[in-house]
């Protein structure tokens, strides 16, 4: 009689180390969701992050001297202020974690109210026994590496000519142009839109194409009640830095607010390419935009992709339900409804659907009636 050999898959020490590191990182985000920064600061490699901030641009010595002692204060202030405005709690979700031996990357989606999202990609070091160190992170909502954004903020506090020149791609700008950019930085520091735009409007076109100027102009236009100016700022980004994912999140929100849904889809895809990850939220937003364009087939495809990318995200199933209902695929809509009831404890009875102007059409469909009767009989 032959013996059947049972084999157990072997997990390498490196793989186990990465799994522990991932668990620890997820715990850090859970802690943030509970309004505590304790785990976050414990995980940050303070020396490495400070080194990056101080090495990014020329920060005045008086400010540099305070960065160490006030580290947790300024990091927390900048972290919290970086998110979209929200009427409720901002929650983070670890969308993906990629280990590379002694380093790793973590992709986190922070959600504000009104389906507004901010994506962070964390650069991590992984030590023995899964010890975790946060080195830095790219903030796609603010459009840059945290260390560089922080350094630029500190430069703006006291923008010397030499420090301002470091911010410029073209190092051959003259003193007058450096003065203009330094004055822009001061206007941003003081949150003075009228002063900023009076300086900006007097600039020559080549200077307006500098990345720092384009970015600051967009940021200030987003806070100023002038749609025409904001539109020009957006077009400046599109002309100077097309297909740049670090601008995509701000452009997505603008195009959705202006009902320019085809360009919103393009920017969502640019963001996905930049992140290197397709998640349920971005696919759901693409589905919503496609529906607004009247392309119901494409909307259903995006929504289905959303559920496949992130089946545990409730938003994706609502997107699929709405897209399939709009497309007249009522049998397919009941598949999404099953998931919403089974996974997320909704009860999609006629009284519930009647309150939704997009879904109430289902009440009279035979596919829904059969599905509801079968659910109720179970």
């Amino acid at each position: 009689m032959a013996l059947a050999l049972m084999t157990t898959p072997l997990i390498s020490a490196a793989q186990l180390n990465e799994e522990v590191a991932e668990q620890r990182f997820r715990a850090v985000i859970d802690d943030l969701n509970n309004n505590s920064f304790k785990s976050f600061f414990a995980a940050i490699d303070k020396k490495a992050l400070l080194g990056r901030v101080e090495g990014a641009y020329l920060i005045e010595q008086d400010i540099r001297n305070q960065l160490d002692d006030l580290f947790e204060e300024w990091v927390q202030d900048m972290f919290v202020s970086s998110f979209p405005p929200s009427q409720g709690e901002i929650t983070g979700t670890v969308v993906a974690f990629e280990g590379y031996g002694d380093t790793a990357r973590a992709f986190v989606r922070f959600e504000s109210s009104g389906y507004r999202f901010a994506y962070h990609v964390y650069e991590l070091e992984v030590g023995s026994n899964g010890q975790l160190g946060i080195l830095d992170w790219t903030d796609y909502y603010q459009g840059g590496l945290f260390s560089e954004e922080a350094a630029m903020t500190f430069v703006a506090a006291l923008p010397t000519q030499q420090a301002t020149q470091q911010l410029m791609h073209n190092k051959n700008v003259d003193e007058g142009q450096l003065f203009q950019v330094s004055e822009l930085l001061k206007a941003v520091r003081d949150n003075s839109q009228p002063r900023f735009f009076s300086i900006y409007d007097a600039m020559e076109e080549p200077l307006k194409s500098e990345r720092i100027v384009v970015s600051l102009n967009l940021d200030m236009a987003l806070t100023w009640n002038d749609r025409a100016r904001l539109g020009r700022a957006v077009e400046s980004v599109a002309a100077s830095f097309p297909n740049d994912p670090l601008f995509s999140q701000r452009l997505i929100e603008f195009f959705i607010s202006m009902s320019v849904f085809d360009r919103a889809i393009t920017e969502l895809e640019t963001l996905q390419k930049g992140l290197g990850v397709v998640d349920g939220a971005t696919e759901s937003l693409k589905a919503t935009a496609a529906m607004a364009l009247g392309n119901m087939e494409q909307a259903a495809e995006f929504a289905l992709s959303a559920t496949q990318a992130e089946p545990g995200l409730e938003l994706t199933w609502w997107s699929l339900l709405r897209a399939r209902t709009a497309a007249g695929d009522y049998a397919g809509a009941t598949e999404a409804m099953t998931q919403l009831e089974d996974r997320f404890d909704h009860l999609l009875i006629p009284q519930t659907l009647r309150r939704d102007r997009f879904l109430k059409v289902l009440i009279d469909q035979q596919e829904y009636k059969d599905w509801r009767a079968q659910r109720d009989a179970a």
Side-chain angles (χ1 to χ4, degrees):
M1 179 179 179
L3 295 176
L5 298 179
M6 300 296 291
T7 60
T8 302
L10 297 178
I11 301 177
S12 68
Q15 183 180 352
L16 182 61
N17 209 39
E18 289 172 7
E19 290 177 357
V20 172
E22 179 176 355
Q23 291 171 3
R24 289 178 173 169
F25 183 80
R26 289 181 181 275
V28 168
I29 300 303
D30 288 342
D31 204 25
L32 287 174
N33 290 340
N34 290 322
N35 298 313
S36 172
F37 277 80
K38 183 177 180 180
S39 298
F40 185 66
F41 284 120
I44 290 177
D45 185 329
K46 181 179 177 180
K47 182 178 179 181
L49 184 55
L50 266 178
R52 291 188 178 202
V53 172
E54 294 175 348
Y57 303 119
L58 188 61
I59 302 169
E60 283 295 281
Q61 192 61 48
D62 288 347
I63 297 175
R64 292 167 67 96
N65 291 340
Q66 302 177 61
L67 296 183
D68 193 340
D69 292 341
L70 300 177
F71 179 78
E72 292 191 4
E73 182 178 330
W74 63 261
V75 170
Q76 182 170 334
D77 285 347
M78 290 184 181
F79 184 87
V80 171
S81 64
S82 70
F83 296 113
S86 183
Q87 296 180 358
E89 294 290 329
I90 296 174
T91 56
T93 300
V94 181
V95 176
F97 188 97
E98 298 177 352
Y100 309 100
D102 59 357
T103 63
R105 289 200 309 164
F107 303 79
V108 182
R109 178 183 64 239
F110 291 94
E111 181 176 358
S112 298
S113 59
Y115 301 108
R116 300 178 73 184
F117 304 99
Y119 288 85
H120 290 187
V121 178
Y122 288 84
E123 182 183 341
L124 310 171
E125 58 183 357
V126 179
S128 58
N129 300 320
Q131 292 298 316
L132 189 70
I134 298 174
L135 301 175
D136 208 344
W137 60 94
T138 301
D139 180 342
Y140 281 83
Y141 192 78
Q142 292 298 321
L145 201 61
F146 176 81
S147 60
E148 294 180 356
E149 293 294 307
M152 190 181 74
T153 299
F154 297 133
V155 167
L158 289 170
T160 64
Q161 187 176 86
Q162 188 177 359
T164 302
Q165 188 174 34
Q166 273 194 316
L167 297 172
M168 310 289 288
H169 176 73
N170 178 13
K171 304 303 181 184
N172 295 321
V173 291
D174 59 37
E175 289 187 7
Q177 292 171 319
L178 284 176
F179 176 76
Q180 284 181 306
V181 176
S182 68
E183 289 300 302
L184 280 185
L185 291 169
K186 292 177 185 177
V188 171
R189 176 197 65 195
D190 299 335
N191 196 30
S192 175
Q193 289 93 343
R195 182 179 167 204
F196 178 94
F197 292 125
S198 68
I199 299 166
Y200 175 83
D201 290 344
M203 286 180 164
E204 297 179 355
E205 287 304 321
L207 190 57
K208 288 183 178 179
S209 297
E210 281 283 338
R211 187 180 187 93
I212 180 64
V213 176
V214 171
S215 183
L216 291 176
N217 183 45
L218 178 61
D219 289 343
M220 294 298 274
L222 285 167
T223 65
W224 190 241
N225 188 25
D226 186 336
R227 282 287 183 179
R229 184 176 286 280
L230 177 54
R232 292 194 297 273
V234 166
E235 294 308 326
S236 176
V237 171
S240 301
F241 303 99
N243 306 315
D244 188 329
L246 291 176
F247 284 108
S248 288
Q249 283 218 259
R250 287 170 285 177
L251 297 190
I252 289 163
E253 290 194 350
F254 172 77
F255 289 135
I256 289 176
S257 71
M258 298 298 290
S259 301
V260 188
F261 296 109
D262 53 342
R263 294 184 72 175
I265 291 173
T266 298
E267 290 299 333
L268 281 160
E269 291 175 342
T270 298
L271 175 63
Q272 289 175 331
K273 291 176 183 176
L275 291 169
V277 169
V278 174
D279 73 318
T282 49
E283 288 295 272
S284 293
L285 288 175
K286 285 161 63 178
T288 300
M291 286 178 61
L293 290 170
N295 192 338
M296 302 309 172
E297 183 178 348
Q298 186 183 50
E301 291 175 358
F302 286 146
L304 180 60
S305 174
T307 64
Q308 293 168 341
E310 216 170 337
L313 180 62
E314 183 179 338
L315 171 65
T316 66
W317 295 104
W318 283 112
S319 296
L320 186 61
L321 172 57
R322 294 180 187 282
R324 285 181 169 175
T325 300
D329 179 7
Y330 303 123
T334 63
E335 295 176 7
M337 296 172 84
T338 297
Q339 295 295 324
L340 286 165
E341 289 201 343
D342 290 350
R343 285 176 180 263
F344 307 103
D345 298 324
H346 289 285
L347 182 60
L348 299 175
I349 56 178
Q351 294 93 317
T352 302
L353 298 179
R354 194 170 285 115
R355 294 194 293 267
D356 190 306
R357 64 191 180 98
F358 296 106
L359 300 180
K360 63 183 181 180
V361 66
L362 287 167
I363 297 172
D364 298 323
Q365 307 306 319
Q366 191 61 47
E367 293 89 341
Y368 170 75
K369 293 178 180 179
D370 293 344
W371 174 83
R372 185 72 267 166
Q374 183 180 18
R375 300 283 292 183
D376 292 341

